Amino acid sequence: YIWHLLGCRSCQKDVFNDPIHGHIEMHPLLVRIIDTPQFQRLRYIKQLGGTYYVFPGASHNRFEHSLGVGYLAGRLIRALQKRQPELDINQRDILCVQIAGLCHDLGHGPFSHMYDGRFIPRVCPGTAWKHEDASVKMFEHLIDSNDLRPVLKYYGLKPDEDIDFIKEQIAGPIKTEKNSSSWPYRGRPEEKGFLYEIVANKTSGIDVDKWDYFARDCHHLGIQNNFDYVRFIKFARVCEFEGKKHICTRDKEVGNLYDMFHTRNCLHRRAYQHKISNIIETMITDALLKANPHIIIKGSGGEEYNIATAREDMEAYTKLTDEIFLRILHSDEPNLEEAREILCKIERRDLYKYLGQTQPQEGTGNYKGGTLSHKPGLKPEDFIVDVINMDYGMKKKNPVNNVRFYCKSDLNKAFRISKEQVSKLLPEKFEEQQIRVYCKTADEETICDARKYFVQWCIDNNFTKPQVRKV
């Protein structure tokens, strides 16, 4: 039975030729997970969503990014195992960390962050749903629907304990009423807490997920990547700080970490939050909202779902990818006509018009969002207010304050390094908000009136003097 599940490749490592990391080997258990419909679905979800419509090279998908994260997770944990045998890192730990790296993005919807960042908040206002929640559910579905528990056992894993560990690495501690312990995790004890800092580091934000998307996105966007993850791995070391074990790096690397977070900020400014990319994602979102009541996706037991509710059933969600764009675009159904017309406008490059950009004044706090009020000749629904929060990954906080360092003379003593100890040229603030306003109408006279109205709206709301220019 087990040989039937494993096929003929139980001991064979597959080699993937990756444009970023070169020829990478994958353990047969990882290959078994990759060769499932739930993982293969990631081939059909663009890594950067609507950014592809501005940067023609950004055609890469969540599939190859996930392979890269699984590979880098293995590189980092093996480096720690070799450097510090006393950490007692075993093959189970290595496989679980790699599986978490592979599966961390299983829950992304169509056009990646557009689905959970734009579409879901508009179709279900107030919902706290995140794609990490769906990644955990999709991982459970992947294991169960492909009968992989015996395969996990065959390769030395303890399914009940290790599946929890994998899920916790993806989405954080599993909430239970029984958990009253100060250590919130169930998959691994506190002495192995550093393992939770590899795939999705909730402490400092320095993790293999970022390393791969920095390298991969920069490669496809044609933007220089200034962060060298190989150097970080060379200096990575587990040290104890205030009674807890953390992955630390050499004190001399602190400047490189600021460069890493600066790279992240540059990617957001130049690509992820490019104004045309955001306009196109807004238009795709509008099309999906129009189409949502009329799209049927069948899930488990023949139950019917739409674009928004498919995330509640993993069988239905497996069928929901970027393909939904073409399904609407090529449909001749009358009830999809409005959605289809929006997508046709994207193809004709007949986009919503960019009116301008502004920011809240210093010390006034962030804008909570809303719409432009009514003015004769201009309808509120013709305007879109796009609020963009950009930071170093931890909102107002400096993420490097949460990094622990060690020095050459004492490899086991960890300490913090303040910003003032590094340079006076580093950022004073680590978060800012941009407010962009778009107009749906294409009439030049209306656009001209709308731009004037936008300037007055900025003055009325005590925003900075807006950048107003034609797209």
Side-chain angles (χ1 to χ4, degrees), residues 38 41 100 103-108 129-144 149 163-175 186 202 311 314 317:
Q38 295 74 27
R41 166 183 179 269
C103 299
H104 78 288
D105 272 349
L106 286 177
H108 268 296
W129 185 84
K130 305 190 300 269
H131 75 268
E132 291 89 349
D133 302 329
S135 292
V136 165
K137 288 176 71 176
M138 186 65 86
F139 175 67
E140 291 172 339
H141 178 58
L142 182 155
I143 295 296
D144 294 338
R149 282 177 179 263
I163 286 173
D164 278 350
F165 177 40
I166 293 162
K167 292 193 295 186
E168 288 172 334
Q169 290 178 80
I170 294 170
I174 297 167
K175 295 179 177 68
R186 300 193 314 206
K202 305 290 192 288
R311 73 190 197 280
M314 291 303 105
Y317 200 48

Side-chain angles (χ1 to χ4, degrees), residues 57-230:
S59 58
H60 55 305
N61 301 304
R62 288 278 156 187
F63 178 84
E64 47 265 43
H65 165 62
S66 298
L67 295 182
V69 176
Y71 165 71
L72 288 181
R75 278 194 66 171
L76 178 54
I77 191 171
R78 285 194 186 94
L80 294 172
Q81 182 193 43
K82 186 176 180 181
R83 195 168 297 134
Q84 296 175 268
E86 69 275 10
L87 296 174
D88 195 28
I89 295 171
N90 55 44
Q91 182 64 8
R92 271 180 64 208
D93 296 330
I94 293 171
L95 282 174
C96 287
V97 168
Q98 285 200 275
I99 292 169
L102 265 186
C103 299
H104 78 288
D105 272 349
L106 286 177
H108 268 296
F111 298 93
S112 291
H113 288 290
M114 189 210 77
Y115 185 79
D116 60 334
R118 294 183 181 275
F119 175 73
I120 292 298
R122 286 183 63 187
V123 78
C124 306
T127 183
W129 185 84
K130 305 190 300 269
H131 75 268
E132 291 89 349
D133 302 329
S135 292
V136 165
K137 288 176 71 176
M138 186 65 86
F139 175 67
E140 291 172 339
H141 178 58
L142 182 155
I143 295 296
D144 294 338
S145 63
N146 295 284
D147 196 17
L148 290 188
R149 282 177 179 263
V151 182
L152 297 179
K153 276 186 180 178
Y154 176 83
Y155 287 112
L157 270 59
K158 298 177 181 177
D160 292 339
E161 186 178 316
D162 289 337
I163 286 173
D164 278 350
F165 177 40
I166 293 162
K167 292 193 295 186
E168 288 172 334
Q169 290 178 80
I170 294 170
I174 297 167
K175 295 179 177 68
T176 60
E177 293 178 9
K178 298 177 184 177
N179 195 353
S180 58
S181 166
S182 60
W183 179 244
Y185 295 100
R186 300 193 314 206
R188 289 296 182 273
E190 194 165 2
E191 56 264 28
K192 285 195 174 181
F194 61 90
L195 294 175
Y196 290 99
E197 298 178 356
I198 294 174
V199 173
N201 191 337
K202 305 290 192 288
T203 305
S204 68
I206 299 170
D207 52 48
V208 296
D209 178 25
K210 283 188 182 63
W211 300 352
D212 185 82
Y213 81 66
F214 285 171
R216 195 172 301 278
D217 293 355
C218 284
H219 172 82
H220 288 281
L221 290 164
I223 294 174
Q224 184 70 36
N225 176 27
N226 295 320
F227 181 70
D228 182 3
Y229 70 80
V230 177

